[in-house]
């Protein structure tokens, strides 16, 4: 109805579909994303400054081929890669410039908040194994068990996970 945009969040809200690292269940979590070029997004595992990274982060590390939903673009298969050292610091600076809440998150924890790059996966030929995996992630039986990540705000929403 709103082309995937949430009032006050605009194009920065992404829905990330992950497969549970331990359970194999599908989870959908709203996260803040920063566009990086035509084929990528940055997401931070800030979890509002918690001392533990959010569940979606561990899921994406265990199963890096995930699907995101981006405003105006629909479902997009991506590969999650954790950034380290200078690449992480440069990416984190973009979050700090985006909103002061990220600086508050940083002061609430002693951990280094992880930043992941989500890179668009080139479409596979029709009927390929990757297509089947994406279809399962978005609409397979596990989708019926889709749950918000524990510890979210109202309605299970984690706005800056």
């Amino acid at each position: 109805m709103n082309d995937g945009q949430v009032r006050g969040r605009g194009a920065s809200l992404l829905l990330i579909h992950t497969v549970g690292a331990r359970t194999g269940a599908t989870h959908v979590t709203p996260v803040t994303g920063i566009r990086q070029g035509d084929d990528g997004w940055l997401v931070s595992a800030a979890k509002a400054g918690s001392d533990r990274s959010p569940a979606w982060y561990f899921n994406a590390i265990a199963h890096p081929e995930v699907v995101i939903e981006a405003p105006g673009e629909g479902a997009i298969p991506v590969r999650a890669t954790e950034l380290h050292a200078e690449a992480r610091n440069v990416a984190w600076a973009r979050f700090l410039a985006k909103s002061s809440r990220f600086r508050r998150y940083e002061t609430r924890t002693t951990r280094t908040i992880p930043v992941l790059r989500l890179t668009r996966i080139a479409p596979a030929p029709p009927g390929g194994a990757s297509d089947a995996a994406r279809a399962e992630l978005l609409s397979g039986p596990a989708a019926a068990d889709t749950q918000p990540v524990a510890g979210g705000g109202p309605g299970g929403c984690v706005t800056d996970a």
Side-chain angles (χ1 to χ4, degrees), residues 4 9 21 45 57 73 93 133 147:
R9 302 291 285 188
Y57 162 78
E73 297 190 58
Q147 304 168 13

Side-chain angles (χ1 to χ4, degrees), residues 8-30:
R9 302 291 285 188
S12 68
L13 182 70
L14 301 176
L15 296 179
I16 184 168
H17 297 248
T18 59
V19 174
R22 290 177 292 175
T23 66
T26 302
H27 300 278
V28 180
T29 309

Side-chain angles (χ1 to χ4, degrees), residues 24-73:
T26 302
H27 300 278
V28 180
T29 309
V31 297
T32 297
I34 297 176
R35 193 64 188 250
Q36 191 178 43
D38 291 337
D39 68 341
W41 294 261
L42 298 171
V43 292
S44 76
K47 196 175 181 183
S50 171
D51 284 331
R52 180 155 165 80
S53 295
W56 69 260
Y57 162 78
F58 296 107
N59 295 343
I61 295 301
H63 304 285
E65 285 195 13
V66 300
V67 172
I68 60 170
E69 294 179 59
E73 297 190 58

Side-chain angles (χ1 to χ4, degrees), residues 92-111:
W92 180 245
R94 292 190 61 193
F95 283 93
L96 296 176
K98 180 175 183 58
S99 173
S100 62
R101 72 177 173 262
F102 289 101
R103 187 160 310 284
R104 284 193 306 272
Y105 299 161
E106 190 175 49
T107 64
R108 294 178 184 163
T109 185
T110 57
R111 71 183 171 97

